[in-house]
């Protein structure tokens, strides 16, 4: 990958190596513009970089007798849960979020992502206390719940 002004040098180096494609941030003869990589496949195979090759996400599993029951929580599902929790909890960097092992795994994953996104402190595990001088403000046991507001000591 090269900038448009270095495309000629990138092509020269590619000729002397095993590199077979030079991608530019811009447009230059003999290169592939980066923006083309973000378009759906021209061969009609329905691949779209905006969606991904598969609808990846998180694969949850649980024992089911002698088998394992798997559930795919897609990126779309996880982002929807992330947005829902963002609206419900209004996390800030002042929050301490406790995430144990109870509750559904996809919700715990979305909650941790949201906490990290907002700069909240995350405490994981059943017996992990909050950092010294801070108190728990959100718990995920078994569902994400605000137990206190960071600006006051009044529990909700």
């Amino acid at each position: 990958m090269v900038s448009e002004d270095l495309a000629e040098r990138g092509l020269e180096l590619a000729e002397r190596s095993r590199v077979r494609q030079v991608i530019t941030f811009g447009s230059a003869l003999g290169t592939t513009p980066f923006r083309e990589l973000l378009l759906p496949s021209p061969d009609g195979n329905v691949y779209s970089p905006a969606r991904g090759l598969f609808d990846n996400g998180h694969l949850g599993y649980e024992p089911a007798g002698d088998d394992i029951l798997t559930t795919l929580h897609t990126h779309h599902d996880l982002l929807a849960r992330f947005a829902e929790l963002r609206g419900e909890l209004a996390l800030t960097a002042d929050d301490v979020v406790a995430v144990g092992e109870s509750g559904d795994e996809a919700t715990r994953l979305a909650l941790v992502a949201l906490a990290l996104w907002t700069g909240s402190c995350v405490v994981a595990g059943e017996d992990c206390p909050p950092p010294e001088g801070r108190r728990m403000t959100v718990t995920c046991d078994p569902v994400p719940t605000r137990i206190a507001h960071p600006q006051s000591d009044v529990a909700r």
Side-chain angles (χ1 to χ4, degrees), residues 8 15 29 34 49 66 89 106 115 121-123 134 140 142 152 154:
E8 187 175 323
E15 280 299 315
L29 187 62
F34 180 78
D66 291 337
L89 300 173
C121 176
V122 177
V123 178
R134 296 184 77 179
C140 187
S152 72
V154 179

Side-chain angles (χ1 to χ4, degrees), residues 62-69:
E62 61 185 285
D66 291 337
D67 291 328
I68 296 175
L69 176 64

Side-chain angles (χ1 to χ4, degrees):
M1 294 188 147
V2 297
S3 60
E4 192 173 347
D5 58 324
L6 294 176
E8 187 175 323
R9 178 59 98 130
L11 288 166
E12 288 173 17
L13 292 171
E15 280 299 315
R16 290 189 265 164
S17 71
R18 290 182 280 167
V19 173
R20 295 296 164 245
Q21 184 177 25
V22 176
I23 300 166
T24 55
F25 297 103
S27 181
L29 187 62
T31 67
T32 301
F34 180 78
R35 70 179 173 275
E36 284 185 17
L37 299 178
L38 304 177
L39 299 174
S41 178
D43 66 6
N45 71 6
V46 304
Y47 170 72
S48 171
R51 183 183 62 81
L53 185 55
F54 307 101
D55 193 3
N56 295 329
H58 171 71
L59 186 62
Y61 62 93
E62 61 185 285
D66 291 337
D67 291 328
I68 296 175
L69 176 64
T70 60
T71 305
L72 176 63
H73 303 282
T74 66
H75 283 144
H76 183 266
D77 295 340
L78 294 171
L79 284 172
R81 188 65 177 130
F82 177 98
E84 184 180 314
L85 291 172
R86 187 176 192 181
E88 288 175 6
L89 300 173
L91 293 181
T92 70
D94 294 325
D95 285 305
V96 176
V97 177
V99 182
E101 294 180 15
S102 63
D104 87 88
E105 194 170 3
T107 296
R108 292 193 325 261
L109 180 63
L111 178 61
V112 168
L114 176 61
L116 296 173
W117 180 266
T118 59
S120 300
C121 176
V122 177
V123 178
E126 296 303 322
D127 296 322
C128 295
E132 193 171 315
R134 296 184 77 179
R135 59 188 164 68
M136 212 62 65
T137 55
V138 175
T139 184
C140 187
D141 186 23
V143 296
T145 307
R146 181 171 285 288
I147 55 177
H149 194 275
Q151 281 74 32
S152 72
D153 286 336
V154 179
R156 288 189 178 180

